[in-house]
Amino acid sequence: MAPVLPPMVTVTPDETTPSLSHIISAVVKFVTEYFLRVSDWITDHLPEAQGWVTSHPFYVAAAIVGVVILIFVFVPWILSWVALAVNAVWSGLKSVFQLVWRSLQWFGRAFVHCLGFRTKGVTKGSTAALYQSRRLGGSIPAGSTFSSFQSVGATPR
């Protein structure tokens, strides 16, 4: 007869939702009790199992071959499907990230374009022209936000 499993968690009606430490201790207790019961069952039935193995060598050999087939055939097959699933999820995430990145680029270019930074330079009468004339004058510092916006605006789409 197989070992009987202990109950997982007992919660009395007056208790609230168990805490994480309570759940972890209950799982540890369950696993410990289960393995103790299984080890006791194996120890009690080991002589019977040894007798069965010696009297049924072909069944044992078939079981060993079955385990080898599981290990060397089905496990790699399952892992290949897992790899395909992970690859599909990664490809989907990569596509989403690319879509978000390209959308941000497009909105950034549209924003810079609306400020007045165009392919041929700063548009006359635009916000960029007003800022350039009042704050920067004739010199635009290298590496400034204004020069970066000019670079983005000058790049053809």
Side-chain angles (χ1 to χ4, degrees):
M1 180 179 203
V4 178
L5 297 177
M8 182 68 176
V9 177
T10 54
V11 179
T12 59
D14 60 329
E15 287 184 21
T16 59
T17 306
S19 66
L20 182 62
S21 62
H22 179 75
I23 293 171
I24 290 172
S25 64
V27 168
V28 168
K29 181 180 175 189
F30 171 79
V31 170
T32 306
E33 287 180 15
Y34 178 74
F35 280 115
L36 286 174
R37 289 184 187 194
V38 168
S39 66
D40 289 343
W41 186 84
I42 289 172
T43 319
D44 293 343
H45 294 86
L46 190 60
E48 289 176 29
Q50 288 174 337
W52 186 87
V53 166
T54 55
S55 62
H56 300 90
F58 293 112
Y59 290 133
V60 173
I64 291 171
V65 168
V67 168
V68 168
I69 289 172
L70 279 174
I71 291 172
F72 290 106
V73 175
F74 290 120
V75 170
W77 181 74
I78 290 170
L79 289 178
S80 68
W81 280 100
V82 169
L84 284 173
V86 168
N87 191 18
V89 168
W90 176 248
S91 295
L93 286 175
K94 197 165 70 171
S95 297
V96 168
F97 289 138
Q98 285 176 346
L99 179 67
V100 168
W101 178 249
R102 288 184 180 166
S103 298
L104 287 174
Q105 285 179 330
W106 186 87
F107 282 116
R109 286 182 185 275
F111 174 73
V112 167
H113 190 266
C114 288
L115 289 177
F117 296 97
R118 305 289 167 92
T119 311
K120 294 183 179 181
V122 177
T123 306
K124 182 179 179 183
S126 66
T127 306
L130 184 66
Y131 182 82
Q132 184 179 13
S133 66
R134 290 198 178 163
R135 297 276 175 114
L136 299 176
S139 67
I140 299 169
S144 66
T145 306
F146 193 89
S147 67
S148 298
F149 281 8
Q150 265 189 324
S151 175
V152 170
T155 306
R157 294 175 196 208

